[in-house]
């Protein structure tokens, strides 16, 4: 290869069989195998990163004297022309080129001749693909981060807008204690806040430069790896060439962040599906986020929430795929690793679309305050507070729990609710009950009394809102 680089014949370094590595071969894989081995349909998505990386590499090579200034200029201009062609849709991707790296280099050489053949000096596709993957993972982490911020903004917006609305809180999907709807929205807000943190971690993992590691062992050319990293805006150079070409941890970090985000989206969507049912009726999904039935004229289905829940499996699958590809790989590069991009891109695309859809659902759904309020008043959800009332009068909590339990049983048998008991009826259960007992079970008060930090009382929820706003501003500045 080195001898060919000195030769000005533009095609001399391409072997007779057409592939860029063909020199030592007499036969070539069948058409089927070429297609089987190709990653171009998937990795052509990294064309910008590939060109950016090559331009940085050429600039660095010229800086250290490995490449002439003329060759460097020809390479930079030529790559700009390739980029313009791809951007305009005029580039013909040929499956025989195996991957985006081959494709771009071949097109460059066809344009500028021998200088194109000098670009790959001191570089291997192993460190080239690692670099492209780092760059695109970094970009994707940032784009997803921005989308999660939009959803956090939407959840926060609804929490502010509906402040004061009371709804049933559940455990085991059984009505447990009344909570503020804002509190419920903010619970999701914090899940997505943590997802942002995970995405920033994925960004940082990708923000290092493996280029200059060559095939696995480094190279004899006097490369300035720090300069390449600096040209690409990457914050550090990787410390070990073998690790550099075989590390895909940064992709796992990104896909893990996707899996967690999708899991949170799925939980939220599950609630939206339940809440929009006739039985709950807590929200009305906007028509624009609903579909109808081809046979039942009355139907309005929360399809997109369901679909989001359904897409969670594929994102988990992407994570397991990626982890399994890497499991058992000896150092350093192995062709197995070509299977890294499809699951990564699929996870990112799926979550990006889901985030967009769910943000719209949250922004547009109608909150049915009355239904929530009615739900909060039924189901004996004030029982704990009635027990606490007895504790306040001096009864041990265990005994109070048992007294109120007996009251609930009696109410159930007699078709009554706790709030309907008269003072005399109350006293048949315990002489600790005074006339003020039922005030303790007023739903507003039950909520307002939960004043512990992070609780559902109006005051701590207001504090939580302020904190959430602060964090949103901070994360938006990232
Ligand atoms: N298409 C390959 C991939 O995505 C690029 C690296 C190929 N390197 C090699 N030695 N075959 O992993």
């Amino acid at each position: 290869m080195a001898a060919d680089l000195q030769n000005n014949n533009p095609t001399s370094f391409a072997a007779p069989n057409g592939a860029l590595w063909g020199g030592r071969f007499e036969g070539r894989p069948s058409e089927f195998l070429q297609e089987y081995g190709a990653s171009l349909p998937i990795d052509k998505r990294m064309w910008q990163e590939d060109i950016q990386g090559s331009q940085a590499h050429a600039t660095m090579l010229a800086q250290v004297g490995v490449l002439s200034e003329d060759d460097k200029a020809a390479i930079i201009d030529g790559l700009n022309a390739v980029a313009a062609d791809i951007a305009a849709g005029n580039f013909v991707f040929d499956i025989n080129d195996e991957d985006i790296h081959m494709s771009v280099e071949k097109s460059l050489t066809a344009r500028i001749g021998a200088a194109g053949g000098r670009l790959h000096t001191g570089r291997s596709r192993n460190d080239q693909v690692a670099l492209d993957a780092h760059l695109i993972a970094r970009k994707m982490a940032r784009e997803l981060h921005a989308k999660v911020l939009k959803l956090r903004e939407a959840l926060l917006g609804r929490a502010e807008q509906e402040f004061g609305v009371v709804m049933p809180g559940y455990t085991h999907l059984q009505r447990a204690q009344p909570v503020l709807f804002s509190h419920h929205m903010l619970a999701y807000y914090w899940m997505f806040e943590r997802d942002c943190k995970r995405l920033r971690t994925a960004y940082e993992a990708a923000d290092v430069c493996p280029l200059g590691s060559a095939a696995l062992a480094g190279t004899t050319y006097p490369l300035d790896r720090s300069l390449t990293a600096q040209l690409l805006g990457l914050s550090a150079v990787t410390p070990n060439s073998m690790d550099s070409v075989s590390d895909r941890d940064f992709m796992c970090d990104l896909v893990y962040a996707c899996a967690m985000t999708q899991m949170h989206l799925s939980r939220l969507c599950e609630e939206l599906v339940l809440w929009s049912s006739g039985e709950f009726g807590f929200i009305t999904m906007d028509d624009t986020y609903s579909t109808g039935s081809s046979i039942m004229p009355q139907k309005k289905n929360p399809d997109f929430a369901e679909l989001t829940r359904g897409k969670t499996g594929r994102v988990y699958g992407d994570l397991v795929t990626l982890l399994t590809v890497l499991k058992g790989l000896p150092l350093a590069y192995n062709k197995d690793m070509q299977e890294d991009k499809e699951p990564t891109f699929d996870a990112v695309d799926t979550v990006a679309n889901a985030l967009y859809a769910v943000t719209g659902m949250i922004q547009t759904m109608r909150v049915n305050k009355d239904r929530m309020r009615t739900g909060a008043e039924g189901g004996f959800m004030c029982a704990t507070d009635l027990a606490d009332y007895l504790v306040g009068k001096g009864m041990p909590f265990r005994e109070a729990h048992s007294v109120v339990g007996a009251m609930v049983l009696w109410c159930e048998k007699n078709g009554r609710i706790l709030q309907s008991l008269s003072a005399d009826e109350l006293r048949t259960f315990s002489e600790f009950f005074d006339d003020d007992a039922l005030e303790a079970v007023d739903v507003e008060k039950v909520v307002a009394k939960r004043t512990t930090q992070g609780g559902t009382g109006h005051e701590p929820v207001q504090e939580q809102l302020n904190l959430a706003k602060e964090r949103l501003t901070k994360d938006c500045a990232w």
Side-chain angles (χ1 to χ4, degrees):
M1 190 99 161
D4 286 329
L5 292 173
Q6 304 312 314
N7 186 324
N8 253 350
N9 175 353
T11 55
S12 68
F13 43 83
N17 73 4
L20 293 181
W21 40 256
R24 60 100 68 225
F25 287 81
E26 287 178 336
R28 63 181 302 178
S30 66
E31 228 169 81
F32 163 76
L33 284 176
Q34 279 191 53
E35 209 168 317
Y36 180 63
S39 54
L40 188 60
I42 305 294
D43 66 26
K44 66 180 179 192
R45 182 166 174 170
M46 307 193 299
W47 65 270
Q48 277 169 311
E49 288 72 23
D50 197 70
I51 287 174
Q52 206 192 344
S54 288
Q55 290 181 327
H57 183 63
T59 304
M60 180 276 294
L61 286 180
Q63 186 72 35
V64 300
V66 173
L67 202 63
S68 72
E69 282 299 322
D70 283 354
D71 281 348
K72 177 190 97 176
I75 287 170
I76 304 268
D77 291 351
L79 286 171
N80 283 337
V82 174
D85 260 10
I86 299 177
N90 296 330
F91 192 91
V92 184
F93 287 102
D94 177 359
I95 195 82
N96 293 315
D97 290 340
E98 191 179 323
D99 55 30
I100 187 64
H101 326 295
M102 301 283 217
S103 216
V104 168
E105 191 184 324
K106 197 175 89 177
S107 169
L108 173 70
T109 303
R111 278 162 213 263
I112 67 168
R118 297 201 175 96
L119 166 62
H120 211 51
T121 312
R123 187 174 71 167
S124 158
R125 267 188 302 150
N126 298 350
D127 59 344
Q128 186 179 0
V129 71
L131 171 68
D132 294 2
H134 275 82
L135 290 174
I136 203 162
R138 195 175 65 153
K139 181 170 89 181
M140 288 171 158
R142 194 174 269 293
E143 284 169 2
L144 282 180
H145 190 269
K147 288 197 160 66
V148 181
L149 286 176
K150 287 253 178 296
L151 176 56
R152 283 169 59 186
E153 204 180 306
L155 289 163
L156 190 54
R158 291 318 295 252
E160 279 196 292
Q161 199 183 333
E162 318 290 348
F163 193 82
V165 173
V166 176
M167 69 179 292
Y170 297 81
T171 64
H172 313 267
L173 203 56
Q174 304 291 319
R175 278 181 282 184
Q177 289 175 343
V179 295
L180 288 184
F181 172 75
S182 306
H183 196 51
H184 202 124
M185 285 291 102
L186 287 169
Y188 282 98
Y189 173 91
W190 295 113
M191 295 182 210
F192 294 112
E193 196 251 1
R194 295 192 293 274
D195 291 329
C196 280
K197 191 169 169 203
R198 271 182 280 273
L199 286 165
R200 292 195 298 274
T201 301
Y203 179 96
E204 278 164 29
D207 190 25
V208 289
C209 186
L211 201 69
S213 302
L216 77 163
T219 169
T220 56
Y221 297 97
L223 306 185
D224 182 347
R225 295 191 57 205
S226 299
L227 175 59
T228 314
Q230 194 192 318
L231 290 169
L232 291 165
L234 291 162
S235 56
V237 165
T238 53
N240 179 307
S241 61
M242 294 180 81
D243 181 40
S244 301
V245 293
S246 66
D247 168 31
R248 296 295 183 269
D249 294 2
F250 62 99
M251 291 170 107
C252 296
D253 289 344
L254 178 60
V255 179
Y256 170 63
C258 288
M260 290 294 288
T261 307
Q262 187 71 32
M263 181 266 283
H264 293 148
L265 287 169
S266 184
R267 292 183 68 175
L268 175 54
C269 282
E270 165 70 10
E271 304 231 41
L272 298 182
V273 170
L274 283 173
W275 291 353
S276 57
S277 70
E279 285 67 19
F280 278 80
F282 289 174
I283 60 163
T284 306
M285 196 77 91
D286 195 77
D287 277 3
T288 53
Y289 286 88
S290 313
T291 60
S293 156
S294 56
I295 175 169
M296 298 167 281
Q298 86 284 10
K299 288 300 290 289
K300 183 176 158 187
N301 299 327
D303 268 34
F304 305 109
E306 295 165 65
L307 192 60
T308 302
R309 196 175 55 188
K311 281 182 185 287
T312 309
R314 66 189 283 164
V315 183
Y316 291 180
D318 290 328
L319 180 60
V320 173
T321 300
L322 188 58
L323 290 170
T324 311
V325 164
L326 296 170
K327 165 191 177 296
L329 288 189
L331 289 173
Y333 178 83
N334 300 271
K335 181 77 167 178
D336 315 42
M337 294 167 73
Q338 184 169 285
E339 285 294 306
D340 60 353
K341 285 162 219 72
E342 199 168 2
T344 304
F345 297 166
D346 183 70
V348 169
D349 292 343
T350 304
V351 177
N353 291 336
L355 282 165
Y356 186 72
V358 174
T359 301
M361 288 177 215
I362 296 295
Q363 283 166 336
T364 58
M365 70 188 184
R366 198 174 69 225
V367 173
N368 302 327
K369 298 176 196 154
D370 296 343
R371 287 291 298 235
M372 287 189 180
R373 172 80 195 208
T374 310
E377 278 166 353
F380 304 103
M381 289 204 299
C382 303
T384 313
D385 291 75
L386 207 52
D388 287 343
Y389 169 90
L390 293 173
V391 170
K393 299 281 173 185
M395 188 183 279
F397 181 75
R398 275 292 149 238
E399 197 185 328
H401 185 286
S402 164
V403 168
V404 179
M407 292 169 75
V408 169
L409 184 64
W410 184 87
C411 281
E412 268 185 346
K413 283 186 179 161
N414 294 280
R416 303 276 295 274
I417 62 171
L418 288 171
Q419 286 91 336
S420 73
L421 297 183
S422 69
D424 288 341
E425 281 173 324
L426 283 173
R427 273 187 283 275
T428 62
F429 292 96
S430 165
E431 73 264 24
F432 282 80
F433 281 122
D434 284 329
D435 290 350
D436 63 349
L438 284 179
E439 280 174 31
V441 296
D442 172 74
V443 95
E444 292 292 335
K445 288 203 183 108
V446 166
V447 170
K449 279 190 298 188
R450 299 284 185 286
T451 52
T452 38
Q453 190 184 1
T456 199
H458 299 69
E459 266 175 54
V461 171
Q462 187 55 57
E463 276 166 33
Q464 200 189 146
L465 266 170
N466 296 342
L467 182 65
K469 263 192 254 179
E470 221 174 87
R471 293 283 183 84
L472 186 64
T473 309
K474 192 164 151 252
D475 286 357
C476 283
W478 178 67

